[in-house]
Amino acid sequence: MYVETWEKCLQFIQDRIPPQSFKTWFEPIIPLNLEGNVLTIQVPSQFFYEWLEENYVHLLKQAIRSEIGEKGRLEYSVVMDRGDEQTKPLTVSVSGSSNSQNKNRVNGFDKYKNPDFLEELQNNSNLNPNYLFDNFIEGDCNRLARSAGFAVAQKPGVTSFNPLMFYGGVGLGKTHLVQAIGNQIKSDNRGKSIIYVASEKFTNQFIEALKNNNIQDFINYYKEVDVLIIDDIQFLRDKEKTQEIFFHIFNHLHQSGKQIILTSDCAPKDLKGLQERLVSRFKWGLTADLKQPDFETRMAIIQKKMQNDGISIPDQVIEYIAYSVDTNVRELEGVVISLIAHASLTKREIDLELSKQILKNIVHDIDSEVGIDYIQKTVSDFFSVAQDDLKAKTRKKEIVIARQVAMYFSKDYTNHSLKSIGYHFGGRDHSTVIHAVQSVNDMIDTNAKFRYSIEELKKKLKFKTHAV
Ligand code: ADP
Ligand code: MG
């Protein structure tokens, strides 16, 4: 019965929106139940749920009304964790629109009604349930940090990684990783108290406590936690009093075998404005840095993100995004989200064409056409030689090879004549270019490692040549 009802709703909806939007946002929905006037549907993710509520709430209401009647209502069951063969997916129920309280619950951020300071401290571990090891993609860029984090999550306070400190630029996964540790410990140890706090919030709590004569409460409270996670410790810079209190708490926790986890945007030695005695404590444990993700890791992150949101896009598009956005994961996610949003708003499929259009507005260095200069830059970066050397007289072996490869691609990927190519490489003769192309072809045939380099470079150049 409920299946049929939902089928009819789908027909109603299908007639009113473009096929691609229907496919993306309605086909993945599974009807679960119809009880009285309430139809329950399962959606693949929280993002999905929010998207439906933002964009299709009216349409859904109309459909429900036309199929169930004026009193018809919709409830969502949001899949929070897909589970695997052994465990069932974890779902959370939410009512459709108009019920904002439930919306809060699905986010996992229950608000406190009682503003009392200590109660707020006690009740709020501040862990965001979406940050897990499971959805943290491992790559060379984060392997050490992730493994250390994982070890600490298994045995908080027991390993020599205490304190455990992650550092690295914005958007590289520091917060995700420390939250994942917190969530893991929380789910494995019911009794343990875990606090995640951003250092700014820690500072504000401290100031608040000062104002209210509550310092002792503040200190006692933090002294009692089993796992203390302080994010973005660099914001304690120049806050002498806060550093002092933190130093005190730190020592107490460390001596009692409690786990301390910290993050910072730079290496401990570069933490200016933090007391030396504090910084030297950070070095007692393990510091691990998070780097920019490489291409494969970026691919995996995009794939995972799409999968989590129950959306599929062509591999070619994923590759394109991974090539184009190499700064940090947050930016990568941002691009993916705007892509999904754009596709739905403009009612277009997510294809390479659309991705290029969108990325043009987001990523700055995508220029329209691959040129000799771009090839020279890409090739010289790849072989770690200076771009100017490609045009110079030098006959050093590695430079000669890079120069020949750049000529080879210039011939293949641009419309320049041999003469013009020679000109762009320090005024060389066209026969030099012919010779370069031949040498490169020979090496491709005889040297596997070289062949692989050429393939890599082709990938790097490929999307440029496609660009509009
Ligand atoms: P930071 O705290 O270093 O600025 P975040 O932890 O906030 O970075 O990460 C930014 C975004 O990128 C978050 O949405 C996070 O989930 C995601 N992210 C970062 N690293 C990874 C990773 N290795 N795998 C999956 N998602 C990641
Ligand atoms: Mg962060």
Side-chain angles (χ1 to χ4, degrees):
M1 167 66 177
Y2 61 91
V3 177
E4 286 146 40
T5 310
W6 178 243
E7 281 295 323
K8 286 198 190 130
C9 290
L10 282 183
Q11 271 163 25
F12 182 95
I13 292 163
Q14 190 164 20
D15 291 343
R16 288 165 175 80
I17 60 171
Q20 178 64 29
S21 309
F22 182 78
K23 202 164 162 243
T24 309
W25 300 109
F26 291 94
E27 278 183 6
I29 297 175
I30 303 168
L32 292 182
N33 191 10
L34 176 64
E35 231 180 277
N37 296 316
V38 184
L39 176 69
T40 307
I41 56 172
Q42 180 180 305
V43 296
S45 67
Q46 188 192 328
F47 176 79
F48 206 104
Y49 153 75
E50 283 168 5
W51 187 269
L52 285 176
E53 279 287 285
E54 296 256 303
N55 297 283
Y56 296 109
V57 65
H58 291 298
L59 186 59
L60 277 162
K61 270 192 187 147
Q62 282 178 337
I64 295 283
R65 244 183 239 145
S66 96
E67 299 312 321
I68 309 180
E70 276 306 310
K71 293 220 169 91
R73 277 210 308 121
L74 192 62
E75 285 229 348
Y76 297 88
S77 167
V78 182
V79 179
M80 302 301 277
D81 173 359
R82 303 179 155 248
D84 50 33
E85 277 143 43
Q86 279 101 43
T87 53
K88 283 198 182 149
L90 169 69
T91 59
V92 172
S93 297
V94 260
S95 303
S97 53
S98 73
N99 197 338
S100 55
Q101 252 179 338
N102 276 333
K103 247 190 175 169
N104 272 338
R105 194 180 314 144
V106 90
N107 282 327
F109 296 121
D110 279 340
K111 296 277 177 300
Y112 298 103
K113 303 192 178 62
N114 189 339
D116 178 64
F117 169 72
L118 202 65
E119 188 166 321
E120 162 153 358
L121 279 178
Q122 275 160 358
N123 285 331
N124 201 352
S125 70
N126 283 318
L127 289 171
N128 177 340
N130 296 321
Y131 290 134
L132 301 169
F133 279 109
D134 267 358
N135 56 17
F136 186 82
I137 304 288
E138 185 175 349
D140 289 342
C141 52
N142 59 35
R143 204 175 312 279
L144 173 66
R146 192 196 165 282
S147 325
F150 198 74
V152 164
Q154 307 307 308
K155 294 193 165 136
V158 180
T159 67
S160 57
F161 307 154
N162 199 12
L164 175 62
M165 175 160 182
F166 299 135
Y167 68 92
V170 291
L172 296 180
K174 301 182 296 294
T175 299
H176 187 137
L177 200 50
V178 294
Q179 290 256 1
I181 301 173
N183 278 315
Q184 183 75 39
I185 299 175
K186 191 172 161 192
S187 78
D188 292 347
N189 309 270
R190 290 212 162 268
K192 280 216 193 311
S193 68
I194 302 145
I195 295 297
Y196 165 92
V197 63
S199 73
E200 282 158 309
K201 184 163 176 195
F202 182 84
T203 306
N204 290 338
Q205 287 172 343
F206 172 60
I207 293 169
E208 199 64 16
L210 269 179
K211 265 203 285 195
N212 300 332
N213 258 331
N214 261 341
I215 289 295
Q216 208 47 51
D217 280 351
F218 176 83
I219 295 176
N220 287 344
Y221 168 71
Y222 275 106
K223 276 182 170 176
E224 274 167 28
V225 303
D226 295 307
V227 180
L228 178 60
I229 306 170
I230 303 200
D231 205 357
D232 290 319
I233 202 93
Q234 74 273 8
F235 290 122
L236 292 187
R237 159 185 314 138
D238 298 330
K239 306 211 168 81
E240 294 293 330
K241 278 257 156 24
T242 315
Q243 287 183 35
E244 218 161 274
I245 217 95
F246 176 58
F247 184 70
H248 180 76
I249 293 168
F250 183 103
N251 284 335
H252 178 88
L253 291 177
H254 197 268
Q255 277 156 22
S256 348
K258 305 295 174 60
Q259 181 70 46
I260 301 155
I261 304 169
L262 308 166
T263 78
S264 146
D265 70 350
C266 60
K269 66 174 171 46
D270 299 323
L271 270 170
K272 302 268 143 45
L274 250 69
Q275 297 169 4
E276 185 43 42
R277 56 177 190 168
L278 205 48
V279 175
S280 73
R281 292 276 189 290
F282 298 163
K283 297 178 195 154
W284 284 356
L286 179 83
T287 41
D289 65 336
L290 289 153
K291 298 194 194 67
Q292 290 187 353
D294 55 31
F295 175 72
E296 282 74 17
T297 314
R298 298 199 296 275
M299 287 274 291
I301 289 171
I302 301 171
Q303 271 155 353
K304 182 89 181 172
K305 175 109 193 96
M306 293 288 182
Q307 188 194 335
N308 283 348
D309 287 338
I311 290 155
S312 78
I313 57 172
D315 280 353
Q316 201 191 13
V317 175
I318 298 183
E319 248 184 57
Y320 177 69
I321 304 170
Y323 268 117
S324 314
V325 185
D326 59 3
T327 43
N328 67 56
V329 184
R330 183 170 298 142
E331 200 153 282
L332 200 60
E333 286 189 335
V335 167
V336 172
I337 289 170
S338 22
L339 203 57
I340 297 171
H342 234 83
S344 189
L345 290 174
T346 59
K347 314 194 189 324
R348 283 185 55 177
E349 267 181 66
I350 304 185
D351 57 12
L352 200 54
E353 205 52 37
L354 178 67
S355 315
K356 276 177 186 162
Q357 267 181 26
I358 292 181
L359 278 160
K360 242 197 294 189
N361 299 326
I362 302 173
V363 184
H364 309 293
D365 56 0
I366 293 203
D367 49 15
S368 47
E369 186 186 303
V370 68
I372 293 182
D373 186 65
Y374 179 73
I375 292 175
Q376 288 179 338
K377 184 172 180 328
T378 309
V379 172
S380 55
D381 278 356
F382 186 86
F383 288 107
S384 306
V385 304
Q387 187 177 341
D388 281 346
D389 279 346
L390 301 183
K391 301 172 201 167
K393 293 265 174 280
T394 168
R395 298 212 41 84
K396 266 181 149 165
K397 184 149 187 263
E398 70 262 29
I399 291 166
V400 172
I401 290 181
R403 188 185 292 136
Q404 290 182 330
V405 169
M407 285 179 173
Y408 167 88
F409 280 119
S410 301
K411 163 139 192 313
D412 245 20
Y413 284 3
T414 74
N415 294 323
H416 286 270
S417 65
L418 294 173
K419 196 168 168 197
S420 166
I421 294 172
Y423 173 80
H424 281 90
F425 283 82
R428 289 181 154 78
D429 193 72
H430 81 278
S431 63
T432 312
V433 182
I434 294 175
H435 175 69
V437 173
Q438 267 168 2
S439 311
V440 170
N441 278 325
D442 287 349
M443 278 192 284
I444 289 174
D445 287 341
T446 54
N447 182 333
K449 198 169 156 228
F450 183 77
R451 186 161 58 238
Y452 178 76
S453 303
I454 295 292
E455 283 309 314
E456 283 297 289
L457 274 164
K458 261 190 199 159
K459 278 197 223 157
K460 282 189 199 297
L461 295 167
K462 187 164 118 191
F463 289 112
K464 286 277 177 177
T465 53
H466 286 172
V468 258

